[in-house]
Amino acid sequence: MKIFVPAMGRVNTRNRDGSEVRFAEMAKEWIARGEDLHILLPEREVDVLSQQGVRGATLQVLKEPVGSERDSLSNVLIVYAVRMLQSLRVKYPAPVDVIYAPSDFLVDTIPAFLCKLRNKRARLFVCVFLLAPHPLKGYQGIHTDRRRFPTARGVLYYLTQKITIRLTRRLHGKLLVLNNADRDTLIESGVAGADVIVVSMGVDVDGFSRTPADVHGEYDGIFLGRLHPQKGVLDLIEIWKRVCAKRSSSRLAVVGGGDEWWFDQLRRRIEAEGLQANIDLLGFRAGEEKVKLLKSAKCLVIPSYYESWGMVAIEAMSCGLPVVAYDLPVFRDIFPQGMVRVPIGDTDAMADAVLTLTTEPEYAGRLSREAVSHARKFEWGAIADAELRVLAGQR
């Protein structure tokens, strides 16, 4: 199949989210199977894909008129606006069999829609891997009746996602989601059931197992993810304060990128609680370096208030790490083994779960074996094959 992908990417290339990692893995598998990928991307994303092992695709590269990679709202809007304007002048390939937008951001979907207008018979797929919460609730208010003052980012994300879904439906495209709950939500909003398809994340279990650990047990816990309220990053400090109150030598690695504002907030909280010797802010790490850090820990800590799947969980499980997480409904479906779930927002319960895993080796060992066994069900090769059948219309 000839597949067109507008992978316009994030502004900050020193960070990755699950959808970006997923597309790189899908692309590698599809190219290895002989599929013809044509990728539209900005200059800075060429190295990002290359670093993730994507080679052999036909690339159409757009110039970067804005060099800054700051995560500030103004810079993001400027970069995305320029990239969308550039997409109006792109010479889109024709004919193509499939148009595949790896995110629901307008910077990816606008060029996908423009390509669809030139390729009437092409099958259109848009990945909606995170349903935007209502701006008055935000991620932390999803599970409660609590309201809050909306943020500009929250409003923009919510409204632009609505636009993407509406335009996808008008162009007779399919929406790809990561769990049944999101599928049900879209159907309740009026999308036809046949137009919403559940797909999966995956992991390279063998690749992770080949990476040696530098020092196992260097950290009692590790957090891996974007520094964002959705991920419960401020809960981390409260959780670790409680862990250290009972075991003062406990150490936590915080691995992930994000706006410098969040790094400053975490640094201040850490200093205020006197936890400088217990929490290391390590920034964004990828590839082998990330795997080694995972293997240096005894468990993964996920205080997220909202997840559509949980890619960091399966990556940790493939390294043999038990996972401690808030009891999100999606986790109950996807991770019945290898994960300890505690009530949402209960930092005391999460601290106790971490302490149990780090002080009871027999219990931790059993969960570790369960984690590795469960992770093997999500090898990227099988996930890529299943998605190719969806793109080919064989589902």
Side-chain angles (χ1 to χ4, degrees), residues 161-209:
Q161 188 175 82
K162 294 288 187 186
I163 293 170
T164 282
I165 292 170
R166 181 181 291 272
L167 290 175
T168 303
R169 293 175 64 190
R170 287 183 66 93
L171 292 170
H172 308 290
K174 308 288 186 184
L175 301 170
L176 304 183
V177 297
L178 291 172
N179 60 72
N180 288 308
D182 285 354
R183 181 177 186 271
D184 292 343
T185 299
L186 287 172
I187 291 172
E188 289 170 7
S189 73
V191 182
D195 293 336
V196 190
I197 301 168
V198 178
V199 294
S200 179
M201 288 289 193
V203 68
D204 180 8
V205 177
D206 291 334
F208 275 47
S209 65

Side-chain angles (χ1 to χ4, degrees), residues 219-228 231-237 240 251-258 262-263 266-267 270 275 278-285 293 296-297 299-301 303:
Y219 291 103
D220 296 279
I222 186 170
F223 167 88
L224 178 63
R226 287 182 298 122
L227 302 187
H228 188 278
K231 305 295 183 180
V233 291
L234 294 182
D235 285 20
L236 275 177
I237 311 304
W240 216 251
R251 296 184 65 208
L252 172 70
V254 178
V255 181
W262 279 106
F263 280 103
L266 289 175
R267 289 188 193 101
I270 290 167
L275 296 172
N278 301 95
I279 302 177
D280 292 341
L281 296 178
L282 301 177
F284 173 71
R285 306 295 174 91
L293 280 168
S296 74
C299 69
L300 177 74
V301 183

Side-chain angles (χ1 to χ4, degrees), residues 105 141 149 213 292:
F105 294 164
F149 190 79
K292 286 184 176 181

Side-chain angles (χ1 to χ4, degrees), residues 76-123:
V76 170
L77 290 177
I78 290 169
V79 173
Y80 278 4
V82 170
R83 289 181 182 177
M84 284 188 282
L85 288 172
Q86 287 175 315
S87 72
L88 298 176
R89 303 177 61 187
V90 165
K91 183 177 181 180
Y92 291 98
V96 298
D97 302 299
V98 170
I99 301 163
Y100 182 93
S103 86
D104 59 278
F105 294 164
L106 289 179
V107 72
D108 281 339
T109 58
I110 292 297
F113 298 149
L114 291 172
C115 188
K116 172 65 174 175
L117 293 176
R118 190 176 181 195
N119 292 270
K120 303 289 188 183
R121 296 186 179 182
R123 294 180 292 277

Side-chain angles (χ1 to χ4, degrees), residues 16-26 52 201 290 311 315 380:
R16 308 278 187 280
D17 65 13
S19 65
E20 288 178 298
V21 174
R22 184 183 193 276
F23 168 65
E25 296 295 336
M26 292 287 101
Q52 294 177 94
M201 288 289 193
K290 176 182 73 175
M311 189 165 179
E315 289 182 337
W380 278 124

